[in-house]
Amino acid sequence: MDKGTKKDQMFEKMLEQKKEVKIVRRIVFVVAIVLLIVGLLSGRAMYKYITEALQPVDPNSEEVIEVEIPIGSGLTSIAQTLEKKGIIKDAKIFKYYAKFNNESQFQAGSYGLTKAMTLDELIESLKTGKVYRTPVFTMTVPEGLTLDQIAKVVEKRTGVKEQAFLDYVNDKNIIADLMNKYPNILSDEILAENVKYPLEGYLYPATYPFYEEKPSVETVVTTMLDATSANLTPYFAYLQENEKTVHWLLTFASLLEREATAKTDRETIASVFYNRMKKNMPLQTDPTVLYALGEHKDRVLFEDLKIQDPYNTYVNTGLPPGPIANAGKSSIEAVVDPSITDYFYFLADNEGNNYFSKTYEEHLKKRAEFID
């Protein structure tokens, strides 16, 4: 092959490479233009959607829609309720708008709202608590109560007889209906063989408004379960991420609630329980013994610790089969976000001060110093 032929071939290759480069550049240019157009169209569509979502659903509507905001509802659940009722167009837009304006202190109650209301008007109504109806009376259920204790509160405040309440919350058919109505919080775990009462720990501690003089037992129970559902919703993502259940959360939280005193550090007590469970050590918490005994005592005796019962955490490892009382927000938060410690023991003196220890020997010394 002569030099002229080689030069011609090299020249042809260069031309081909230039053509390929041009083609690639065209493809990149076309793709960029397409993406830009799509982006602009998407941006316009998104802008239009957000703008419309910030406006009233129907400015000319005069229909008053009753909306119930359960006690303890967070911004997310409130926004979802408003969207479901057709009061707003998009729950997420409402949520972001409220957060942008630093609005979060909303009040529970029954509201009369319309589709003609602006987001600002809705927020103002929810903040001021301008309710559609005024409660006839309220009922306060404190933290740390067992189901039988709640039954006494219900009878005193609502007129529903204690036994009628207990019969209702332990009726198999009613429990099945409630499980269908509240699948997000009531699972098959409440029907496990060793669980004493299906709804133990599931009736949220709060102050409840009632809008009739003599509410039915169904109204009382569903009102409380509504509050439980609303207050647990913020923890569903945590439970899913950690492969835990509502039953696990309420059971764990109930132990902290029953161990609590006025000065109790629940987060640190939670860390003690976590540390013990990691080592497969029994939790050894007295409230579970009292629950197993089925009675309330000022002091747990040594012989009580030996009772053979699934709820007794002195003879069984891990959490008991179910909650032993209703737990409030602070106890639930402590389970979700415990302190990180090396403690395995704790005790409380007569004044409610807590003392934590890493070893059993240290624990015994503190017992001798602060208890004995």
Side-chain angles (χ1 to χ4, degrees), residues 220-322:
V220 173
V221 173
T222 55
T223 298
M224 298 178 78
L225 286 174
D226 285 341
T228 302
S229 179
N231 280 277
L232 291 185
T233 296
Y235 305 104
F236 289 161
Y238 166 86
L239 294 174
Q240 184 176 8
E241 182 180 346
N242 290 275
E243 298 183 346
K244 299 296 184 181
T245 65
V246 168
H247 194 71
W248 170 88
L249 176 61
L250 291 180
T251 300
F252 199 147
S254 73
L255 302 188
L256 301 180
E257 196 66 62
R258 292 294 288 171
E259 281 284 8
T261 63
K263 301 179 182 179
T264 293
D265 184 344
R266 299 172 198 231
E267 292 82 4
T268 307
I269 293 178
S271 76
V272 172
F273 288 158
Y274 272 116
N275 291 340
R276 279 177 163 263
M277 285 190 284
K278 287 178 183 177
K279 295 288 186 178
N280 202 34
M281 295 172 62
L283 299 183
Q284 296 183 322
T285 173
D286 290 357
T288 62
V289 177
L290 295 174
Y291 191 81
L293 291 171
E295 59 181 295
H296 305 287
K297 301 171 66 174
D298 293 332
R299 186 172 182 179
V300 177
L301 303 177
F302 180 75
E303 60 186 32
D304 296 331
L305 306 181
K306 300 178 182 179
I307 181 175
Q308 295 300 312
D309 187 280
Y311 282 83
N312 184 359
T313 56
Y314 276 84
V315 297
N316 302 292
T317 56
L319 296 174

Side-chain angles (χ1 to χ4, degrees), residues 32-280:
I33 292 297
V34 170
L35 290 176
L36 179 61
I37 293 172
V38 171
L40 288 172
L41 292 175
S42 299
R44 285 184 179 180
M46 182 61 69
Y47 175 79
K48 182 180 179 182
Y49 179 82
I50 293 174
T51 301
E52 291 179 352
L54 291 171
Q55 303 303 315
V57 174
D58 183 0
N60 299 316
S61 176
E62 296 181 356
E63 178 191 5
V64 176
I65 301 173
E66 188 173 338
V67 178
E68 188 72 29
I69 303 298
I71 295 167
S73 296
L75 181 56
T76 299
S77 61
I78 290 174
Q80 291 171 347
T81 299
L82 294 177
E83 181 182 334
K84 186 176 180 180
K85 289 286 188 176
I87 304 297
I88 59 174
K89 294 177 181 178
D90 189 288
K92 288 184 178 179
I93 300 299
F94 177 85
K95 176 182 175 181
Y96 294 141
Y97 183 81
K99 282 190 173 182
F100 180 79
N101 289 283
N102 295 318
E103 304 287 5
S104 59
Q105 300 299 319
F106 300 132
Q107 298 189 38
S110 184
Y111 293 82
L113 308 175
T114 73
K115 295 181 180 181
M117 296 177 72
T118 65
L119 297 193
D120 288 331
E121 289 172 338
L122 289 171
I123 289 172
E124 188 63 25
S125 293
L126 294 169
K127 280 174 56 182
T128 57
K130 294 179 180 177
V131 296
Y132 182 59
R133 292 179 296 169
T134 302
V136 176
F137 69 92
T138 60
M139 176 184 73
T140 299
V141 177
E143 295 90 345
L145 296 191
T146 58
L147 207 57
D148 60 326
Q149 291 173 320
I150 293 174
K152 290 180 172 60
V153 174
V154 169
E155 179 173 348
K156 182 178 180 180
R157 294 298 298 148
T158 71
V160 174
K161 296 298 182 183
E162 177 182 343
Q163 192 56 52
F165 178 86
L166 291 173
D167 289 342
Y168 185 88
V169 296
N170 288 295
D171 185 283
K172 292 182 179 180
N173 294 326
I174 289 172
I175 293 299
D177 290 340
L178 291 174
M179 289 175 66
N180 289 328
K181 186 174 182 179
Y182 300 96
N184 59 332
I185 57 172
L186 301 180
S187 69
D188 289 336
E189 288 180 281
I190 67 174
L191 301 177
E193 182 180 358
N194 292 325
V195 173
K196 290 193 175 184
Y197 306 110
L199 294 187
E200 185 76 270
Y202 282 83
L203 303 182
Y204 197 77
T207 296
Y208 294 93
F210 288 96
Y211 302 93
E212 52 189 314
E213 290 184 6
K214 294 183 179 181
S216 66
V217 63
E218 178 183 2
T219 298
V220 173
V221 173
T222 55
T223 298
M224 298 178 78
L225 286 174
D226 285 341
T228 302
S229 179
N231 280 277
L232 291 185
T233 296
Y235 305 104
F236 289 161
Y238 166 86
L239 294 174
Q240 184 176 8
E241 182 180 346
N242 290 275
E243 298 183 346
K244 299 296 184 181
T245 65
V246 168
H247 194 71
W248 170 88
L249 176 61
L250 291 180
T251 300
F252 199 147
S254 73
L255 302 188
L256 301 180
E257 196 66 62
R258 292 294 288 171
E259 281 284 8
T261 63
K263 301 179 182 179
T264 293
D265 184 344
R266 299 172 198 231
E267 292 82 4
T268 307
I269 293 178
S271 76
V272 172
F273 288 158
Y274 272 116
N275 291 340
R276 279 177 163 263
M277 285 190 284
K278 287 178 183 177
K279 295 288 186 178
N280 202 34

